[in-house]
Amino acid sequence: MKKVFITLVILIILAGTGWFLFKRYERKNANPVSGLKPRVEMSLAEISSITDSTMEMSMKMLIDNPLPLGMDIENFAYQVKVDGVQIIESDYMKPLKIEPRDSVTIDIPTELKIDTFSKVAKRGEAAGQDSALYQFEVFLKLAKPVLGHDTLRIEMEKRLPLYHLPEIEVVGIDLEKFKLKKSELNVDLRFINKNDFAIQFKNMRYSIDLGKEKTTINGQSPGVTRVPAKSDKVYQIPVQVELGKMISAGTQMLFQGKKFPFTVHLRSQIISDNDMLKNSKLNMRIRGNMEDMKAAKKMVEMK
């Protein structure tokens, strides 16, 4: 029995030594680039302009090359999804060169459709979400193959706050002043901010096209209009109107009644503690008629 035990111990030691030597040989002779893959990180950096249909913004992209050989990138395509819904798809056509075991960070100007972005935010809001899964996918077209491929597909995903764009509605126009031919008109604007941070509108300028003949009146609100986080507030904006334009608009309104149309063009700079929205420019167009305005005002009063 003693001899059998000693034999077993010797066999175990030999097996262990063999396994150690095999692994050591495998490490020394392994492919130096196996298991290594370029990495991409993206972030929504800054919004430069918001209109009623599009949002112009820049994204920051980091491309990390852990390989012992350089990468010549001719161009790349990229797309961004939020909770599975594609909000951005575009191309970056400038060439990039990344040295071995190095990385580059670039700013990418891009544009997304407001309707698509708003639908994703509203769906998340209805589900009680305060964050969303942002998915980034990049296709790098290479001048020379790397790891046997001339195109590399890289994915990443991040859970980030669910952003909401500021919403603005016209809920009131002082019709009595039209009848009295006053030179100042009050317009009630409803500002809706569903984010966890405050938004401020600096030096708002606006023009209002009234009626089908588009009688235009202009106004501005110098200073800052602050809309708190998670708020829904109505602000009264005074607008100076020439007497002749007031008479013309009043006459149209008399004949068109609740179908009397208007278009508000609102321009402002956005100030916010949020890095993505700060120093953005708002250029919004709000269309409606007196019937729409009364419905919006009734909804505000019910709240």
Side-chain angles (χ1 to χ4, degrees):
M1 287 297 293
K2 187 175 180 180
K3 289 182 179 180
V4 172
F5 177 75
I6 293 172
T7 302
L8 288 173
V9 170
I10 293 172
L11 289 174
I12 292 172
I13 292 172
L14 290 174
T17 303
W19 178 255
F20 171 77
L21 293 173
F22 171 75
K23 284 297 180 182
R24 185 178 178 185
Y25 172 83
E26 188 179 52
R27 283 195 299 271
K28 283 186 175 182
N29 293 276
N31 185 342
V33 300
S34 64
L36 296 179
K37 187 177 181 181
R39 177 177 59 90
V40 166
E41 286 200 9
M42 295 180 74
S43 63
L44 306 177
E46 186 176 291
I47 297 172
S48 57
S49 176
I50 303 173
T51 70
D52 53 332
S53 59
T54 61
M55 182 164 65
E56 294 179 4
M57 59 190 298
S58 67
M59 296 191 302
K60 284 194 178 297
M61 177 187 290
L62 178 143
I63 305 177
D64 179 62
N65 176 22
L67 303 171
L69 54 146
M71 291 174 55
D72 286 319
I73 302 171
E74 291 185 349
N75 56 67
F76 61 83
Y78 62 94
Q79 63 180 22
V80 182
K81 294 181 180 179
V82 180
D83 284 342
V85 178
Q86 183 174 291
I87 63 168
I88 295 174
E89 184 177 29
S90 191
D91 301 296
Y92 187 86
M93 302 307 295
K94 297 179 181 179
L96 291 171
K97 182 175 180 62
I98 310 178
E99 299 298 329
R101 296 190 174 93
D102 198 4
S103 62
V104 296
T105 301
I106 54 176
D107 289 314
I108 306 174
T110 190
E111 180 182 278
L112 62 81
K113 302 296 182 184
I114 293 292
D115 283 349
T116 304
F117 190 80
S118 296
K119 286 176 183 176
V120 174
K122 288 178 180 178
R123 188 180 69 178
E125 180 189 6
Q129 296 175 208
D130 58 4
S131 65
L133 187 65
Y134 291 75
Q135 299 161 302
F136 306 94
E137 190 171 19
V138 182
F139 298 86
L140 304 176
K141 182 174 175 52
L142 306 174
K144 298 177 181 178
V146 172
L147 303 179
H149 300 282
D150 57 9
T151 300
L152 294 180
R153 176 175 175 266
I154 308 172
E155 294 178 287
M156 68 156 290
E157 58 184 35
K158 273 186 178 181
R159 183 154 290 275
L160 298 169
L162 182 63
Y163 293 107
H164 299 270
L165 296 178
E167 299 176 36
I168 303 174
E169 297 177 353
V170 179
V171 297
I173 295 178
D174 194 340
L175 303 181
E176 290 302 316
K177 291 193 175 182
F178 269 107
K179 296 175 184 177
L180 298 173
K181 306 297 186 293
K182 296 288 185 181
S183 61
E184 185 179 270
L185 180 69
N186 290 329
V187 178
D188 295 332
L189 295 179
R190 178 189 181 195
F191 290 83
I192 306 170
N193 178 17
K194 298 178 180 177
N195 295 293
D196 292 322
F197 48 85
I199 298 175
Q200 299 181 83
F201 298 87
K202 183 180 180 182
N203 297 332
M204 284 192 296
R205 300 181 307 279
Y206 32 82
S207 60
I208 306 174
D209 297 332
L210 296 169
K212 292 182 180 178
E213 295 181 15
K214 294 186 178 180
T215 300
T216 302
I217 56 179
N218 301 289
Q220 59 181 345
S221 295
V224 173
T225 300
R226 186 177 187 276
V227 184
K230 299 286 186 181
S231 69
D232 184 337
K233 297 184 67 175
V234 175
Y235 296 82
Q236 194 169 80
I237 309 297
V239 181
Q240 296 294 323
V241 189
E242 296 175 16
L243 181 59
K245 291 184 177 181
M246 181 70 86
I247 294 172
S248 174
T251 303
Q252 293 179 63
M253 189 181 297
L254 179 65
F255 287 100
Q256 296 177 37
K258 63 183 181 180
K259 296 298 182 183
F260 181 74
F262 62 83
T263 303
V264 177
H265 303 270
L266 179 63
R267 296 174 296 281
S268 176
Q269 182 182 359
I270 296 178
I271 302 173
S272 175
D273 292 334
N274 180 266
D275 289 336
M276 194 170 80
L277 278 175
K278 68 179 182 182
N279 299 324
S280 301
K281 293 179 181 178
L282 179 72
N283 187 1
M284 186 172 285
R285 180 172 50 193
I286 310 163
R287 289 193 177 99
N289 55 46
M290 291 299 170
E291 187 175 32
D292 298 332
M293 184 182 66
K294 288 178 181 178
K297 187 173 184 179
K298 185 176 181 181
M299 186 179 297
V300 172
E301 289 172 347
M302 287 175 62
K303 288 187 176 184

